[in-house]
Amino acid sequence: MQERHLEHFLATVDAGSISSAAVHLGVTQPGLSQSISALERDLGVELFRRSARHTALTPAGREFLNTARQVVHQLTQSRSMLLRVNRNEAGSLRVACPSTLAVDPLTYLFGAFRQRHPQIRLEMRSVSAGIDSADLIRDGSADLALDLGSPSAQGMSVTPLGDRRLLAVLPDTDGTDDVGMISVQGLLERGLVTSLRGGSIRQTLETIAGADTVARSIAVETEHEESVLPLVLGGAGAAVLPDRQALLARDTLGLRVVRLDPPVTQPLVLLRPPDTEWVSVRAFTEIARDAMAERVATRLGHG
């Protein structure tokens, strides 16, 4: 059943005859008759009783009339909505990431995107431990994925977003002299508050100092990442956090934040389906790249 046939049916009903409808539509009368006949064949019923001067609906035609109007209206509305989505004027975008990237930097990237496209609804999807973020794109659960860059991203378009800097966060009860920098070893000696093994920040520390050394330094191990800052605030130990999150903790909670020496960073990438034509996906990729570049420039400008 073609939309054109439905429109021809409705035009004939409104005009009262095939000849009048043909004039209104700017088509030939035989062509319009053939279109309506094709619709009747599709439905398996007669829609009109035809005469030389008038065309009247059959009982089946009267029953079908409201349905035809609704279908044509819904198709028109859908076409309009799809056009708006294609213009980035409506729709939704689903971005997946592991929990360690949800607060920083995905919230920052969501804010940057919403400033440019407030009409697009954003959805943040969680990537469970042991699951590749690219798999959520492959199975249709997400449109994009923010990750730390893994070899499991085969078949994906990968956009590097630069590095995320990590900072040390110390409780204000730390009895040592004020320092501007601290080594990873010096941080571990204070007792580490960290997530369970497998978290990205813990993996980074294990790469630098060794898994056994990190394990021996743990003061508190928590499976609730949101509890890390309260634990540091309570004096349970020291932690390593992304720079924006660490600086926010300093400004709002009064925790001590110092740079790691040598600096410790994590590379960020944005994954998307290859050769995607989705306007919102391309827009988010471009905005994320620009926002992270601006963030790095601002960070460098402040030392």
Side-chain angles (χ1 to χ4, degrees):
M1 185 187 305
Q2 297 183 18
E3 182 183 1
R4 174 173 57 88
H5 294 160
L6 293 174
E7 292 173 342
H8 288 174
F9 166 71
L10 294 175
T12 301
V13 172
D14 294 338
S17 69
I18 289 179
S19 58
S20 297
V23 172
H24 175 74
L25 293 171
V27 300
T28 65
Q29 185 172 333
L32 180 56
S33 295
Q34 291 173 8
S35 177
I36 291 175
S37 295
L39 178 60
E40 290 175 326
R41 285 195 300 273
D42 285 342
L43 296 173
V45 296
E46 277 193 347
L47 299 173
F48 292 107
R49 290 193 183 97
R50 299 165 177 83
S51 66
R53 296 184 178 181
H54 191 67
T55 302
L57 285 170
T58 64
R62 289 195 298 272
E63 186 68 25
F64 181 64
L65 179 58
N66 286 337
T67 298
R69 291 197 190 281
Q70 291 172 8
V71 169
V72 170
H73 175 72
Q74 290 172 358
L75 287 172
T76 301
Q77 293 292 101
S78 297
R79 188 178 292 108
S80 176
M81 174 58 71
L82 291 173
L83 183 60
R84 292 176 61 206
V85 169
N86 196 47
R87 292 174 176 171
N88 249 11
E89 297 173 356
S92 63
L93 187 65
R94 303 164 301 168
V95 185
C97 73
S99 59
T100 186
L101 300 180
V103 174
D104 185 20
L106 190 52
T107 53
Y108 173 71
L109 300 181
F110 270 26
F113 183 83
R114 286 280 299 168
Q115 290 176 22
R116 296 275 297 276
H117 301 286
Q119 67 283 0
I120 302 294
R121 185 180 78 251
L122 295 173
E123 301 176 15
M124 189 182 297
R125 299 295 173 86
S126 175
V127 178
S128 303
I131 302 298
D132 292 330
S133 57
D135 286 343
L136 272 72
I137 299 176
R138 296 186 183 102
D139 68 16
S141 301
D143 305 311
L144 289 160
L146 180 67
D147 209 340
L148 292 170
S150 66
S152 60
Q154 291 96 343
M156 294 287 123
S157 291
V158 180
T159 301
L161 297 180
D163 293 338
R164 176 174 76 162
R165 182 176 63 169
L166 302 180
L167 298 175
V169 182
L170 311 177
D172 57 6
T173 56
D174 191 290
T176 59
D177 295 335
D178 190 27
V179 292
M181 292 186 179
I182 191 172
S183 66
V184 169
Q185 185 59 43
L187 171 79
L188 297 179
E189 290 173 355
R190 286 164 165 76
L192 183 65
V193 177
T194 182
S195 63
L196 299 178
R197 192 166 189 179
S200 67
I201 292 179
R202 179 164 173 176
Q203 287 180 331
T204 298
L205 294 176
E206 290 174 346
T207 299
I208 296 171
D212 291 341
T213 300
V214 171
R216 288 194 299 269
S217 73
I218 292 175
V220 179
E221 184 179 65
T222 176
E223 63 181 16
H224 304 291
E225 292 192 7
E226 65 274 14
S227 68
V228 170
L229 273 176
L231 285 166
V232 176
L233 183 63
V240 174
L241 294 174
D243 52 4
R244 284 178 64 89
Q245 197 173 348
L247 295 175
L248 183 63
R250 180 194 65 187
D251 296 340
T252 59
L253 301 177
L255 294 174
R256 294 176 57 195
V257 173
V258 297
R259 286 178 288 175
L260 291 166
D261 183 26
V264 178
T265 60
Q266 294 177 315
L268 298 174
V269 296
L270 194 63
L271 309 179
R272 68 183 189 279
D275 304 321
T276 180
E277 297 298 325
W278 301 334
V279 177
S280 56
V281 169
R282 295 201 306 269
F284 188 92
T285 301
E286 293 170 2
I287 290 172
R289 185 175 56 232
D290 293 345
M292 290 301 296
E294 179 181 351
R295 171 173 167 169
V296 170
T298 301
R299 186 180 73 199
L300 294 176
H302 287 83

